[in-house]
Amino acid sequence: MVWTQRGDLSIAQLVFYIPVLPLAVWFMVKQHIYMAWIYTAALALIRIIGSGVQLKSQTDDSASLIKIGAILSSVGISPLLLVMCGLLSRVNKSLPDRNRLPHLIFYVFHVAIMLGLVLIVVGGVDSYKNGVYKVNSKSKIGCIVFVAVLVAQATVMLLQLPRIKHAMTGGHSEKRILFAVAASIPFFAVRILYSIIGNFGGSMSFNPIEGNVIIEAFMVTMEEFIIVALYIILAGFMAPTERQLGHYSGKEGGSVPMRPQQYQNGPPAPYQAPPQQVYQGNGPNYR
């Protein structure tokens, strides 16, 4: 095979995601927001491996490489949705109990995203047979699951906006996180629209194997770049460190302020005036 535009796109992904991987690990250690940054690292790793497979397929057109490349290129939505879920969960944990949403919501999101991922992967394996790519029902159901999760998580973000002023951490970092989530939603919509057209439209231009590379670059790759950049800048570099959040309990923003260090053993005792001393002597008493 000759070098194609898909090879250029793979190089662009390598240039972007290779530094993202150590950054995500650093943020995970720095902030202890495991769910958000571990899936950012997972996305970076998927894209690095997928780009390597795509580059290899430029010179080796074996069916296995093509199938692996198609599957890896179609699983980018799930880690990004999991990152969003982790960030929203952090904001929720920073709120007082009376302002929190039930944490079960985020477990439901997590399970739904993983279910969609399994459907997409299994559907991708079954879609490419005998050198022909044909979308099956599993991929379509997985795409619907992702749309539903995106709408639900956007709703949670809207519900958290008026409550963020009650955040125990002061709300500044959580506002930036919610802004990052809100700003990423339009790019999520474009990214998922590409999958919807590819799964339900039947257009060869949206085929993950032989589709239009320009369309993929602008509706998939660029969208993922922007979403990851928003999260890294606003929820990564601009979020407080573990030491800055040290006066809050918990590892993901905390929920109950701890007492200042001087009050660790209880509040100070009330002030008591010293007893008056009785004057004893031969001189005048100026008491």
Side-chain angles (χ1 to χ4, degrees):
M1 296 179 66
V2 298
W3 188 268
T4 64
Q5 290 179 322
R6 198 167 294 279
D8 297 331
L9 188 61
S10 298
I11 291 177
Q13 290 182 327
L14 286 174
V15 170
F16 181 82
Y17 284 109
I18 285 177
V20 166
L21 182 57
L23 274 176
V25 175
W26 180 56
F27 291 141
M28 184 168 54
V29 174
K30 167 186 160 184
Q31 299 178 0
H32 289 271
I33 313 177
Y34 297 111
M35 184 175 176
W37 298 119
I38 196 170
Y39 288 114
T40 304
L43 173 66
L45 191 60
I46 289 170
R47 287 291 175 254
I48 291 170
I49 296 173
S51 297
V53 171
Q54 292 284 1
L55 290 175
K56 178 63 177 177
S57 66
Q58 297 291 297
T59 56
D60 183 358
D61 58 351
S62 65
S64 59
L65 281 177
I66 295 174
K67 181 183 291 188
I68 293 172
I71 293 172
L72 291 175
S73 67
S74 63
V75 298
I77 300 176
S78 52
L80 286 175
L81 286 174
L82 287 166
V83 175
M84 180 192 286
C85 181
L87 294 176
L88 292 174
S89 176
R90 173 205 162 117
V91 173
N92 193 60
K93 288 182 178 181
S94 72
L95 299 174
D97 290 342
R98 66 181 183 277
N99 298 113
R100 287 185 188 180
L101 296 172
H103 198 66
L104 179 63
I105 293 174
F106 302 98
Y107 287 111
V108 172
F109 289 160
H110 192 276
V111 172
I113 295 168
M114 296 305 293
L115 174 62
L117 173 62
V118 171
L119 290 169
I120 290 292
V121 171
V122 175
V125 172
D126 295 340
S127 295
Y128 188 76
K129 293 181 178 180
N130 300 322
V132 178
Y133 185 85
K134 184 178 179 181
V135 179
N136 61 26
S137 59
K138 298 183 184 68
S139 297
K140 293 180 179 180
I141 296 173
C143 184
I144 293 172
V145 170
F146 288 155
V147 172
V149 171
L150 177 62
V151 172
Q153 292 190 162
T155 303
V156 167
M157 183 271 300
L158 292 175
L159 292 174
Q160 288 179 334
L161 280 175
R163 309 178 189 208
I164 198 61
K165 60 184 178 182
H166 302 293
M168 304 303 290
T169 55
H172 301 295
S173 61
E174 280 68 28
K175 286 179 182 178
R176 287 193 288 265
I177 291 174
L178 283 185
F179 177 78
V181 172
S184 70
I185 289 175
F187 302 101
F188 263 109
V190 175
R191 174 64 182 89
I192 292 183
L193 178 62
Y194 179 91
S195 298
I196 292 173
I197 297 174
N199 283 293
F200 295 94
S203 173
M204 288 298 296
S205 297
F206 296 85
N207 186 307
I209 296 177
E210 299 177 352
N212 189 303
V213 179
I214 303 299
I215 294 177
E216 181 179 347
F218 280 94
M219 294 188 70
V220 177
T221 306
M222 188 173 71
E223 264 56 38
E224 293 180 356
F225 283 0
I226 294 173
I227 294 170
V228 172
L230 283 170
Y231 291 165
I232 284 178
I233 294 172
L234 295 177
F237 287 115
M238 298 180 68
T241 64
E242 177 77 2
R243 178 174 295 180
Q244 291 169 326
L245 292 176
H247 60 290
Y248 294 96
S249 62
K251 290 187 176 180
E252 297 194 13
S255 59
V256 181
M258 296 177 66
R259 293 174 177 174
Q261 186 64 34
Q262 63 268 32
Y263 298 156
Q264 288 294 321
N265 296 322
Y271 174 77
Q272 294 181 356
Q276 292 184 347
Q277 296 181 355
V278 179
Y279 174 77
Q280 295 179 355
N282 299 324
N285 185 357
Y286 296 105
R287 185 176 53 182

